[in-house]
Amino acid sequence: MKNLLNQNFEGKRVLVRVDFNIPLDEDFNITDDSRIKAALPTLNKLIQDKAKIILMSHLGRPTGFESKFSLSHIVNYLQSILEVNVSFSENCIGEKVMSSIKDLKNGEVLLLENLRFYKEEMSGDLNFSRQLANLADVYVNDAFGSAHRAHASTSIIAQFFPKEKYFGLLLKNEIDNLEKSLCDPETPFTAIIGGAKITSKIDVITSLLDKVDNLIVGGGMAYTFAKAMGGNIGDSLVEIDKLDLAKSIIVEAKNKGVNLLLPTDSVNSNNFSNYSNIQYSEIINIPDGYIGLDIGEESICLFSEVIERSKTIIWNGPMGVFEMSNFENGTKKIGEAICKATKNGAFSLIGGGDSVAAIRKFNLQNQISYISTGGGAMLEYLEGKELPGVKAILE
Ligand code: 3PG
Ligand code: MG
């Protein structure tokens, strides 16, 4: 494996797959630029080398061309942050983009339009991948957030650069940090998994049961566990078809000697809104007509105590509906407990769009060891799956 940093790419056409799948508001202003900032080490290295940089990314999940998903919305911002000339190509393949690349001067950047405007991107079409590959001399994958996708630009394309394919610096850093927490972690090792549904987290939970000392489960899925234990959860979110699964996770944790911590109390609301009647109860005694929207004070104490004693911590998924001020407390307090542990020497890693948004909302982002740009990619890595984007570079 050749290291990007040991090469000089002066005058070379370098095609960089980034993950600029970022949130935009209705006026197309970027509301969170962290994925762009995370790509800067790679981009600045290539700019300093005076390479001809061709950037490609997807944005959202368009079906064909949809102007609201155009990457043209981010050109001005890119130009200001990179401090070099950034031009834009409405096409990803073909004569026009070839001629734009011919016009590129050393150290300049060309941003291609959203790859997903071509259906061939997500289907991993070989011919489309070859046409993308024809644009450049070198391929760099720095799109960790998309490394779990076997798409044309993230994986299939790499075979056309047998000697000139590289991990970007972000992708490498993400893998190094995940490895650090998974291979030989300092113990106690605690994973905190939240979010709405067991379905989307079951694989990671199962895989973590072989690795962690403590597994904390919060967020919407905790109510399915409470129901599985025979509780009354009022009108809370529940996956009725996952009750047996929840029970089996409880048994499996016990058999594997993992300390599984579930919330014991809940903050409830008579509707899914910040402006509502709020009451508190045990999680197994939520009144009918009420929805559990956050973990309660007792759960916060229970969880925080375990987190603060931990030496390795990974977190994916909020504890409650932190977007609403009345139901943000659980997520905030768990974030603060992680920061406290980190200050005392623990290694902490947070990933997933919601958890990262929460940590930024509470301004705790500088007190965490590592914040991942990946959601699904991080989960699949933790599940022990080989990421297609990583594999394609190593092959
Ligand atoms: C993400 O934000 O999850 C990545 O950019 C991948 O996008 P996708 O989930 O639409 O494939
Ligand atoms: Mg995703």
Side-chain angles (χ1 to χ4, degrees):
M1 254 299 301
K2 290 192 288 183
N3 184 332
L4 190 82
L5 288 175
N6 299 335
Q7 312 290 322
N8 187 297
F9 297 99
E10 185 171 356
K12 295 244 174 79
R13 297 168 303 165
V14 183
L15 181 59
V16 189
R17 177 48 156 111
V18 284
D19 189 336
F20 288 171
N21 184 26
I22 52 173
L24 301 172
D25 66 17
E26 56 270 28
D27 299 320
F28 305 113
N29 299 306
I30 299 169
T31 56
D32 178 358
D33 64 357
S34 36
R35 278 182 163 177
I36 297 183
K37 289 216 168 108
L40 288 180
T42 295
L43 301 183
N44 286 333
K45 146 79 182 157
L46 295 171
I47 290 169
Q48 269 163 23
D49 275 8
K50 299 227 163 295
K52 296 179 185 197
I53 302 149
I54 306 151
L55 286 183
M56 56 176 177
S57 178
H58 74 285
L59 176 64
R61 292 179 176 172
T63 48
F65 178 82
E66 286 181 65
S67 64
K68 68 172 177 173
F69 291 119
S70 173
L71 280 170
S72 62
H73 302 306
I74 72 165
V75 173
N76 288 343
Y77 172 81
L78 262 188
Q79 172 135 334
S80 69
I81 198 167
L82 293 176
E83 296 175 338
V84 294
N85 194 30
V86 177
S87 45
F88 182 71
S89 168
E90 283 172 14
N91 310 94
C92 296
I93 52 171
E95 282 309 313
K96 275 193 186 157
V97 55
M98 286 286 199
S99 106
S100 305
I101 292 169
K102 279 205 187 87
D103 293 342
L104 261 189
K105 298 196 179 68
N106 289 359
E108 288 187 347
V109 174
L110 175 72
L111 174 68
L112 306 186
E113 182 55 286
N114 190 344
L115 289 157
R116 290 192 182 171
F117 288 172
Y118 299 77
K119 65 177 184 333
E120 293 86 351
E121 161 65 357
M122 288 179 76
S123 66
D125 185 82
L126 189 66
N127 193 35
F128 179 67
S129 307
R130 185 185 291 114
Q131 292 186 70
L132 285 175
N134 283 342
L135 304 178
D137 309 302
V138 176
Y139 169 66
V140 175
N141 188 358
D142 210 18
F144 176 71
S146 304
H148 58 317
R149 306 291 184 212
H151 294 169
S153 68
T154 58
S155 158
I156 312 302
I157 189 174
Q159 63 193 280
F160 298 107
F161 298 90
K163 298 220 170 67
E164 290 298 335
K165 54 183 178 180
Y166 297 85
F167 285 127
L169 302 176
L170 168 66
L171 200 150
K172 176 146 190 338
N173 200 20
E174 294 269 9
I175 300 292
D176 288 349
N177 278 283
L178 280 162
E179 291 261 295
K180 187 169 170 176
S181 50
L182 278 192
C183 312
D184 203 20
E186 214 186 316
T187 59
F189 181 9
T190 299
I192 307 152
I193 302 292
K197 289 185 174 169
I198 297 187
T199 317
S200 58
K201 302 284 166 82
I202 180 62
D203 290 340
V204 76
I205 289 176
T206 310
S207 155
L208 286 171
L209 284 176
D210 290 323
K211 302 192 175 85
V212 299
D213 303 296
N214 306 297
L215 178 64
I216 294 175
V217 171
M221 74 172 108
Y223 298 94
T224 297
F225 280 91
K227 175 109 182 153
M229 292 184 296
N232 184 354
I233 57 162
D235 295 350
S236 303
L237 189 71
V238 63
E239 292 164 276
I240 283 293
D241 58 333
K242 295 291 176 297
L243 296 177
D244 286 341
L245 185 63
K247 278 185 209 156
S248 72
I249 292 171
I250 295 171
V251 173
E252 206 181 325
K254 204 168 170 207
N255 291 342
K256 291 188 167 163
V258 174
N259 180 25
L260 174 66
L261 290 109
L262 296 162
T264 54
D265 58 348
S266 174
V267 182
N268 311 318
S269 165
N270 66 336
N271 60 50
F272 190 79
S273 142
N274 200 31
Y275 309 99
S276 54
N277 291 327
I278 295 171
Q279 65 97 256
Y280 306 86
S281 71
E282 288 181 301
I283 198 166
I284 51 168
N285 270 318
I286 301 176
D288 290 342
Y290 280 81
I291 318 166
L293 294 182
D294 195 11
I295 58 173
E297 287 295 340
E298 190 182 83
S299 312
I300 291 171
C301 285
L302 190 77
F303 293 178
S304 300
E305 201 255 328
V306 168
I307 291 166
E308 284 168 26
R309 279 193 280 111
S310 301
K311 286 285 171 229
T312 305
I313 303 161
I314 52 180
W315 183 21
N316 180 293
M319 295 291 104
V321 188
F322 73 92
E323 297 89 343
M324 299 181 193
S325 59
N326 284 325
F327 311 106
E328 67 176 22
N329 194 44
T331 304
K332 185 177 179 192
K333 290 284 162 57
I334 293 314
E336 286 171 356
I338 298 172
C339 293
K340 201 164 164 190
T342 311
K343 209 171 163 193
N344 291 331
F347 175 76
S348 54
L349 188 151
I350 300 183
D354 289 337
S355 331
V356 175
I359 220 78
R360 288 189 201 285
K361 178 178 180 189
F362 308 127
N363 201 24
L364 301 173
Q365 67 275 16
N366 296 329
Q367 301 171 58
I368 302 296
S369 310
Y370 190 77
I371 298 185
S372 176
T373 56
M378 169 185 166
L379 284 177
E380 291 200 19
Y381 192 90
L382 294 176
E383 286 161 22
K385 290 188 186 145
E386 193 166 42
L387 304 180
V390 173
K391 185 167 174 244
I393 299 287
L394 292 176
E395 269 169 358

